[in-house]
Amino acid sequence: SVLGSKLAARTAVDTALELYKDYRTFDKPEYYFRRVFNTANHRILSLMGERQGETAAAAALIQSNRLYYALAGNVRIAVYRRGDLIPVSEGQTINVYARHCYEEGRISKDMAVSLLNQERIYNLLGQEIFDEVESNRQPVDLAYGDIVVLMTDGVFHALTWRQLESTLQIGGNPKEIAHRIIEDVRQATLSDGDNASVLVYRN
């Protein structure tokens, strides 16, 4: 349900903020991410009971100009640098999973090809069987002025990569950029953009 999904999303955000209070800069980001996502999933399941409430989620940490991230679901993280929006994450969809399985030799090429158009999400917070999150093994080195963008599929399905780059090129502070992107989504979809969320950070 929509209400269940919103409650699940709020629980995920509250959990990340709560656990961040205990985070220290010498801690390993992957441990923090694992704790956040596992705790959030457990809390959502406990809170929902028999009601269904699932949500995609992404978290990012920036330490000493290095970007670490983890995500569940179809969320994209990208870095805008000197006119180019560079994808960092892939998202957890069937087609991405199939490609990884093929590269690891776990499924045949024919099977992988048959799944390439399947963009159904296979991992979300609020599931009894919660899979591993996507995270970067090596941090992304950020330069001064880089813009980090976290966005849900409501954004990158509504807008092309070129449209996002054009909006980012206009500049402004992160809040102004985020509002501009959501307005672009509203114009492109002729809706209120409830399924579109974006977070913008300037290094």
Side-chain angles (χ1 to χ4, degrees), residues 155-167:
V155 173
F156 58 80
H157 281 167
L159 305 175
T160 66
W161 219 244
R162 180 57 61 190
Q163 286 174 305
L164 286 164
E165 287 176 334
S166 297
T167 299

Side-chain angles (χ1 to χ4, degrees), residues 56-73:
L61 282 174
I62 297 173
Q63 293 178 191
S64 303
N65 295 315
R66 288 184 164 186
L67 168 66
Y68 303 83
Y69 78 85
L71 64 86

Side-chain angles (χ1 to χ4, degrees), residues 59-151:
L61 282 174
I62 297 173
Q63 293 178 191
S64 303
N65 295 315
R66 288 184 164 186
L67 168 66
Y68 303 83
Y69 78 85
L71 64 86
N74 200 10
V75 182
R76 298 281 173 84
I77 299 172
V79 175
Y80 180 75
R81 177 180 296 171
R82 295 191 293 274
D84 292 319
L85 186 61
I86 306 158
V88 173
S89 69
E90 295 178 302
Q92 293 190 311
T93 53
I94 295 295
N95 54 354
V96 172
Y97 183 69
R99 179 165 54 80
H100 287 305
C101 287
Y102 170 70
E103 290 169 353
E104 294 167 5
R106 292 159 54 195
I107 62 173
S108 67
K109 182 177 181 180
D110 288 343
M111 176 67 80
V113 169
S114 71
L115 295 171
L116 283 182
N117 293 324
Q118 294 282 333
E119 203 173 344
R120 185 168 53 85
I121 301 169
Y122 70 84
N123 193 37
L124 289 167
L125 287 173
Q127 294 180 334
E128 287 286 352
I129 301 175
F130 179 64
D131 206 347
E132 284 292 316
V133 296
E134 176 191 334
S135 61
N136 55 339
R137 303 300 177 195
Q138 295 295 324
V140 177
D141 291 322
L142 298 176
Y144 176 77
D146 280 354
I147 298 175
V148 179
V149 184
L150 286 75
M151 52 190 155

Side-chain angles (χ1 to χ4, degrees), residues 6-77:
K6 287 185 176 181
L7 190 55
R10 169 49 56 192
T11 301
V13 171
D14 289 346
T15 300
L17 293 174
E18 176 191 327
L19 296 183
Y20 185 73
K21 293 175 183 176
D22 297 327
Y23 182 78
R24 301 291 181 267
T25 53
F26 54 81
D27 292 338
K28 291 189 176 181
E30 57 264 35
Y31 295 156
Y32 165 73
F33 291 139
R34 188 176 301 130
R35 189 175 172 215
V36 165
F37 281 84
N38 288 334
T39 302
N41 192 60
H42 176 74
R43 287 179 176 177
I44 291 166
L45 289 171
S46 298
L47 188 64
M48 294 289 128
E50 294 182 1
R51 291 178 300 164
Q52 189 175 13
E54 298 175 334
T55 185
L61 282 174
I62 297 173
Q63 293 178 191
S64 303
N65 295 315
R66 288 184 164 186
L67 168 66
Y68 303 83
Y69 78 85
L71 64 86
N74 200 10
V75 182
R76 298 281 173 84
I77 299 172

